[in-house]
Amino acid sequence: MTNIFLKGSALGALAAALGLTALPAAAAPAVDFDAPMTAIDVGTANDDAKLAQDRDQYQRSRGERGERRQVFRQQRSSAPDAAVAPPRAQRAQETRRAERTERAQRSERRDANSGNVFRRANEALREQAQADRDRREARRERREDWREDRRERREDARERRQDRREDWRERRADRRETWRDNRRDAYRDQRNYRDQRDQRNWRQDRYRDQRQAYRGGHYGRYYDGRRWNDYRVWNRSDWRRNQRYDWHRYRAANRSLFNIGRYYSPYRNHRYNRLSIGITLGSGFYSNRYTINDPWRYRLPEVYGPYRWVRYYDDVLLVDIYSGEVVDAIYDFFW
C-alpha cells in the first residue's frame, strides 16, 4: 500500500509541476528564492495528509468488499440448493436454460423444416418426372394417332385412285366396245353394200360373158340328172385380170379370215400332193364338207354350172363336179 500512495504523491507532484510550467509567465507567481523554507514545507504536508486520507478510504472499501465476498462464499458452500441461490445467478441460470431449450427447439424445427424441404423437393421431383412421363406418353399417343390418320388418308387416297382408275378403264372399255360395234356395223353395212354392188356387177358380168360365150362359141352343156344345161366354159385368165378378185391384197388385210383350221383328208393315209389342172379327183375331195359356199368372202369369183370351189389342204381348186376334173387351182391360198 505504501508504494501505491508514494506513486500517487509522486504523480501529483509531477502534475503540479506541469501545471505550473503551463501557466503563462505573467500569471506565474513570483518565487522568492530568498524566502524562508517554511512555506514550501507547509504545502508538502497538506498533500501528504490528503494522500493519507485517500489511502484510508481505499483500504476501508477494499475491506468491505472482502467481507462481502467472504459472506457470499460461506452462503454458497452452506446452501448448494438452487432455491437459496442469489436471484441474479438464478436468473442467469434460467436464462441459459431457456436459451438452450430455445436452441434445441430451433434445431428441431430446422431439422423438421429441412426434412419437409427434402420431402417436398423429392415429391416435386417425382411429380415433375411423372408429368414428363405423361407428356411423353401424350406425345407418343398423338404421334401414333397422327400416323394412323396419315395411313388411313393414304389408304383412302389409294382407294379413290383405284376407283377412279377402274372407272376410267370401264369407261374406256365401254367406249372401245361402242367404237368397235359402230365400226363393225359400219363395216358390215359397207360390206353389205359392196357385196350387193358386186353381186349386181357379177350378174351383169355373167350375163355379158354368157352373151359373149354364145357369140364366140365358148359354151358347153352338162346333164344334172333331169335335163341338159348350157354353161360357159371356164376361162382361167379372165377373172385374174379383174381387180375385184385381188385376193392377195385382201388376205394381207384380213389374215385371220384365211386361217380356217386343220385340213382332214377324206381318205385314210392320203398325203398332200400339189395337183395340177386336168387331174381327176375322187368324189370325196369335192363333197359338201370341202365345198366353199361363199367364194366372195375370200374374193374368189362366183361359179356357175358344174363348177365348185373346194378346199384341198391349203390350196383352192375349181372342180367340175360332174366329171371330177380340176379346172383351176390356187396354191397356198390358206394359212
Side-chain angles (χ1 to χ4, degrees), residues 136-191:
R136 287 194 296 270
E137 187 65 25
R139 285 198 299 270
R140 189 180 300 108
E141 292 178 356
R142 289 195 299 271
R143 192 178 298 111
E144 292 295 332
D145 296 339
W146 178 77
R147 290 177 179 174
E148 186 65 25
D149 295 339
R150 186 176 64 175
R151 283 194 294 269
E152 292 178 356
R153 290 195 298 270
R154 287 182 178 176
E155 291 294 334
D156 295 338
R158 191 178 296 108
E159 291 178 358
R160 288 194 297 270
R161 288 196 300 270
Q162 186 66 24
D163 294 339
R164 289 196 297 269
R165 192 178 295 112
E166 293 295 334
D167 295 339
W168 177 78
R169 288 177 179 174
E170 292 179 358
R171 290 194 299 270
R172 187 178 66 174
D174 294 339
R175 290 195 300 269
R176 184 177 298 173
E177 189 65 26
T178 303
W179 178 77
R180 287 178 178 176
D181 294 340
N182 296 333
R183 188 180 67 174
R184 190 181 300 111
D185 295 340
Y187 176 74
R188 186 181 298 111
D189 296 340
Q190 185 179 4
R191 188 177 61 181

